[in-house]
Amino acid sequence: MLVTKIGTNTSSPPALHQSVQYLKGVGPRRSEIYGKLGIHTIRDMLFYFPRDYKDRSRVQKISEARIGSEITIFGRVLGVQTRTARSRKNILEVFVGDGTGSIAATWFNQPFLAKKFHVGNRVLLHGKVGAYKYLQVLSPEYEIIQDEEMNVKDGGILPVYPLTEHMSQGHFRKIMKDAVCHFAGAVDEILPTEIIRKNQLLSLRDAIANIHFPETPELLKQARFRLVYDELFTLEVAMALRKRGIQAETGISFKIGANVDAHIRKLIPFPLTNAQERVIREITEDMRGSKPMNRLLQGDVGSGKTVVAMYAILAAIANGYQTALMAPTEILAKQHFQTIQKYLLHSHVRTHVLIGDTNLRQRKDTLDRIKTGQVDLVVGTHALIEETVQFHRLGLVVIDEQHKFGVVQRLNLKKKGGAPDVLIMTATPIPRTLSLTLFGDLDFSLLDEMPPGRSPVKTLWITKEKELGSYRFIHDEIVKGRQVFIVYPLVEESESFDLKAAVTEAKRLQSEVFPSHRVGLLHGQMKSSDKDKVMADFKEKKYDILVSTVIIEVGIDIPNATVMVIVHAERFGLSQLHQLRGRIGRGSEQSYCLLFGNPTSSVSNERLKIMAMTSDGFKIAEMDFRLRGPGEFFGTRQHGLPELRISDLIKDFPILKKARSDAFELVSKDPQLTMETHIRIRERVLETFKDRLELMNI
Ligand code: ADP
Ligand code: MG
């Protein structure tokens, strides 16, 4: 419909791959600037979507301006003047009229703005109405509308693009208009007709035209829906292909019968929770099957993932296979190793640890044993995925990622065996919206029940004036025989400074605040053996207080520690705070988390409020995700997925679900995407995911 109006250019499809320089008004210099935005071709241009819109249909008349309320107006510049107030403030006034009246747009101490406005310019203003000797709109958002075409009084919706400083919206808009007029018609449909019909999607051409220059708010909505659908559909097709690729491999069919089960259970010193039982069933089901397991086990800190992993590990070993357990840090690798060794005291399982600081001779020896099959379980850090590690017969890989994810690492390790089963454990509760996209190729298990006898941690937000009082409280807890963590932030950018702060504070706490208690210190730059010693000493109650940088966040298990103070809590992210807090509340005594924090931004303020309010990991993750967005939530570099250009994984969850089920259905019908109607999708998926995901079989 629309496309016919704006003209078509179907005769030469390759036109879209031409440089943007082909567009009127884009020369070599401008094309270089565009290049920085990722716009190289005309197609890139068309898929460079607005970040916002100015809806001129909501423009009000100046005669409607009410002092104290906000207003959006559209008019012509009648005059520009600057003056100096008695307070010596520089005042810039731009008088604007729209036929119903006039108003002064007023800025203070920004004289340079004067250059931007010229009599006769058309401007769009938005701001709060005030009054001096005449009506004013104070420090308004403004936009000078240069584009003649946009000035037709049709009440259109204006796109606002994410541009860099020295680019003007008006000019970019003009070029975009040109691009849309001449080339939107050349954009080829990529979706099969059934999908378009079923979801009542706008055609891709109309969607492109309307996302840039919407005819009506309704068409804008439909255009957005269509483009979000496209983006998520492409992503989910990739996921479906990946999942299929994994399933097409032949893995190991482990035999796990009553005998093996009974043997393993003998080694577990407590009755399992219902959740643990359920998850173990899910895992053994996978392991028995002929397709390689590819499962993500989610469970909040302390939910008891280790013993579940151990079950799977022992089942694999019972079948004559080797297993690997990979942890995110050396401390955690060692702790896993110790925990598991304790469980395995009365078994014949041969367990070794392999980390960065293992000495050379020992390391070579361990590597030899792994290679010749004399090791059943090897526990380590990413050192495990180094080339030199060769397994004799690797059957199961357990990856404890805590809250770090690395799709790529996963694959590297997997290559070490034929097609070993893979179990990934994470303490980060992943919002459903994300797990579907980011980990769409995995199966999920959830430990949603804590082992018995835990009381939830009480979390208090302590402001500066209450800090002294809380020292008293800490003292009382220590007198009762409990132990205390005091955590300091340590961030890369200010590492040496932060470190000094922690060290100085440890001294001060010892000498001035808690002279009768024993204060230990643990930080990232200590030698590995010293760290171990401090941890071990703390565990054996040789210290009452452990002052530490963030290093304790993963894995440490000390049930007698019931108080955690987090200093400068405002500097930690939500999931980090939650992880830290998970180090306490592990015994039967009431535990307390004290957040020392004086937030300077509304976001950090929000974080502390959330922490004090809930201990539900899923709620926290969801809020964290909302506060930070998906990129930062996982660290952009790690998740291995392209940026989403238009979709919002939270808002667009309903579209995601549709796109996902359509995508999986399509791939199950045409696993190689070779059908005529699927060729375009195939191209698009390969283009988008080139090296990012291993797309097997296509
Ligand atoms: P996670 O790795 O999920 O954070 P862990 O596996 O370290 O949790 O378990 C936390 C603590 O709970 C450990 O001390 C562990 O021995 C204990 N635990 C695990 N499962 C149970 C259970 N079913 N009953 C009692 N204690 C359990
Ligand atoms: Mg653990």
Side-chain angles (χ1 to χ4, degrees), residues 151-170:
N151 281 332
V152 283
K153 289 201 203 95
D154 60 1
I157 305 170
L158 286 182
V160 180
Y161 293 92
L163 301 180
T164 53
E165 230 175 304
H166 299 294
M167 299 172 72
S168 103
Q169 290 289 343

Side-chain angles (χ1 to χ4, degrees), residues 455-471:
S455 45
V457 176
K458 281 201 179 124
T459 301
L460 303 166
W461 174 4
I462 310 287
T463 47
K464 195 102 202 149
E465 31 330 332
K466 293 195 201 135
E467 279 180 18
L468 273 182
S470 60
Y471 287 148

Side-chain angles (χ1 to χ4, degrees), residues 139-368:
S139 307
E141 284 173 41
Y142 66 94
E143 192 179 345
I144 300 163
I145 311 288
Q146 286 154 338
D147 180 0
E148 283 311 310
E149 215 176 335
M150 298 308 303
N151 281 332
V152 283
K153 289 201 203 95
D154 60 1
I157 305 170
L158 286 182
V160 180
Y161 293 92
L163 301 180
T164 53
E165 230 175 304
H166 299 294
M167 299 172 72
S168 103
Q169 290 289 343
H171 189 269
F172 192 81
R173 221 176 256 148
K174 198 154 137 192
I175 306 235
M176 186 64 88
K177 186 88 184 177
D178 188 50
V180 169
C181 275
H182 292 99
F183 297 98
V187 173
D188 278 318
E189 190 53 67
I190 66 155
L191 296 178
T193 329
E194 311 110 69
I195 287 186
I196 294 183
R197 205 175 298 137
K198 188 173 123 198
N199 293 292
Q200 299 179 307
L201 300 175
L202 221 51
S203 76
L204 189 51
R205 292 169 187 184
D206 285 347
I208 295 282
N210 273 285
I211 201 72
H212 293 293
F213 303 103
E215 283 189 301
T216 63
E218 177 54 30
L219 274 169
L220 171 58
K221 223 167 101 186
Q222 288 183 33
R224 191 176 177 280
F225 186 98
R226 161 72 211 236
L227 294 167
V228 168
Y229 182 94
D230 268 27
E231 187 166 66
L232 297 174
F233 182 78
T234 311
L235 179 65
E236 290 303 324
V237 167
M239 287 300 170
L241 290 171
R242 217 168 105 102
K243 186 160 185 172
R244 235 191 135 77
I246 291 165
Q247 289 182 342
E249 290 173 72
T250 318
I252 307 156
S253 300
F254 292 99
K255 296 204 169 56
I256 307 168
N259 212 343
V260 170
D261 180 71
H263 260 93
I264 297 174
R265 281 174 193 271
K266 255 192 251 153
L267 301 171
I268 301 176
F270 38 70
L272 297 172
T273 63
N274 291 328
Q276 284 169 325
E277 291 287 2
R278 187 186 69 241
V279 169
I280 285 174
R281 268 200 307 279
E282 289 163 359
I283 290 171
T284 47
E285 201 65 24
D286 281 2
M287 290 180 69
R288 288 193 188 104
S290 63
K291 291 167 187 162
M293 167 163 75
N294 199 30
R295 186 170 283 278
L296 182 68
L297 167 57
Q298 297 185 70
D300 215 341
V301 276
S303 60
K305 293 184 290 294
T306 315
V307 76
V308 170
M310 195 187 72
Y311 189 105
I313 286 168
L314 293 177
I317 295 172
N319 278 262
Y321 283 90
Q322 289 177 300
T323 58
L325 171 57
M326 189 169 124
T329 64
E330 295 192 354
I331 285 206
L332 191 57
K334 280 184 211 162
Q335 182 171 298
H336 273 320
F337 180 65
Q338 284 160 7
T339 312
I340 287 176
Q341 265 191 328
K342 229 181 344 180
Y343 286 130
L344 298 183
L345 217 53
H346 304 290
S347 78
H348 301 293
V349 175
R350 296 161 297 178
T351 306
H352 278 254
V353 68
L354 190 68
I355 52 179
D357 72 352
T358 313
N359 80 42
L360 270 179
R361 258 225 342 273
Q362 221 177 328
R363 184 179 167 80
K364 191 175 170 306
D365 183 57
T366 305
L367 288 177
D368 280 345

Side-chain angles (χ1 to χ4, degrees), residues 366-646:
T366 305
L367 288 177
D368 280 345
R369 285 164 189 265
I370 296 172
K371 197 170 168 185
T372 52
Q374 299 171 65
V375 175
D376 302 309
L377 165 62
V378 48
V379 182
T381 57
H382 24 255
L384 276 188
I385 58 170
E386 281 164 18
E387 301 273 306
T388 48
V389 186
Q390 284 173 10
F391 287 87
H392 175 63
R393 202 170 179 232
L394 182 62
L396 171 72
V397 177
V398 178
I399 306 174
D400 183 358
E401 296 197 296
Q402 293 289 341
H403 56 292
K404 298 189 179 77
F405 297 93
V407 179
V408 179
Q409 287 191 351
R410 236 155 77 196
L411 292 169
N412 281 348
L413 184 52
K414 228 173 105 79
K415 282 186 197 140
K416 296 210 165 285
D421 280 358
V422 175
L423 177 67
I424 300 157
M425 306 196 286
T426 172
T428 303
I430 300 166
R432 248 170 69 69
T433 42
L434 260 191
S435 56
L436 277 187
T437 43
L438 230 40
F439 305 103
D441 57 328
L442 300 178
D443 294 306
F444 289 88
S445 288
L446 180 62
L447 281 181
D448 50 4
E449 182 187 350
M450 286 287 170
R454 306 257 175 98
S455 45
V457 176
K458 281 201 179 124
T459 301
L460 303 166
W461 174 4
I462 310 287
T463 47
K464 195 102 202 149
E465 31 330 332
K466 293 195 201 135
E467 279 180 18
L468 273 182
S470 60
Y471 287 148
R472 179 87 226 160
F473 171 79
I474 291 169
H475 170 81
D476 292 344
E477 285 294 299
I478 295 173
V479 170
K480 282 191 224 159
R482 316 266 191 275
Q483 288 167 285
V484 179
F485 287 116
I486 300 183
V487 183
Y488 283 81
L490 181 69
V491 290
E492 244 168 80
E493 302 91 68
S494 53
E495 200 173 311
S496 61
F497 181 81
D498 286 343
L499 188 60
K500 233 167 73 201
V503 175
T504 317
E505 271 302 285
K507 283 195 193 129
R508 186 186 72 91
L509 288 169
Q510 177 70 84
S511 60
E512 293 172 27
V513 187
F514 301 112
S516 58
H517 302 311
R518 296 154 305 171
V519 180
L521 174 66
L522 180 73
H523 63 73
Q525 288 183 8
M526 288 164 58
K527 268 206 319 231
S528 185
S529 54
D530 293 345
K531 282 189 233 170
D532 291 348
K533 173 124 185 27
V534 172
M535 271 326 294
D537 286 351
F538 188 59
K539 206 160 182 162
E540 285 165 27
K541 293 202 194 180
K542 290 187 186 157
Y543 297 115
D544 307 298
I545 298 174
L546 184 64
V547 173
S548 156
T549 55
V550 73
I551 190 165
I552 58 153
E553 76 182 87
V554 279
I556 301 306
D557 192 20
I558 299 176
N560 191 52
T562 59
V563 180
M564 173 174 286
V565 177
I566 303 179
V567 184
H568 285 303
E570 77 278 358
R571 287 174 54 186
F572 291 90
L574 255 186
S575 17
Q576 245 182 336
L577 289 171
H578 181 65
Q579 293 280 329
L580 279 168
R581 183 169 60 180
R583 299 300 119 219
I584 55 172
R586 304 197 139 223
S588 50
E589 302 301 333
Q590 176 62 55
S591 289
Y592 302 90
C593 179
L594 310 180
L595 303 172
F596 284 17
N598 298 285
T600 46
S601 74
S602 61
V603 172
S604 53
N605 190 59
E606 192 65 20
R607 285 200 294 255
L608 298 188
K609 264 208 257 170
I610 292 168
M611 283 299 292
M613 196 173 72
T614 180
S615 56
D616 179 333
F618 268 94
K619 251 192 217 148
I620 288 173
E622 188 85 40
M623 306 226 209
D624 197 19
F625 184 44
R626 271 172 210 267
L627 286 178
R628 292 197 292 164
E632 248 193 277
F633 188 82
F634 286 106
T636 348
R637 272 162 299 132
Q638 282 196 348
H639 61 51
L641 292 177
E643 292 296 319
L644 296 173
R645 283 161 168 255
I646 191 167

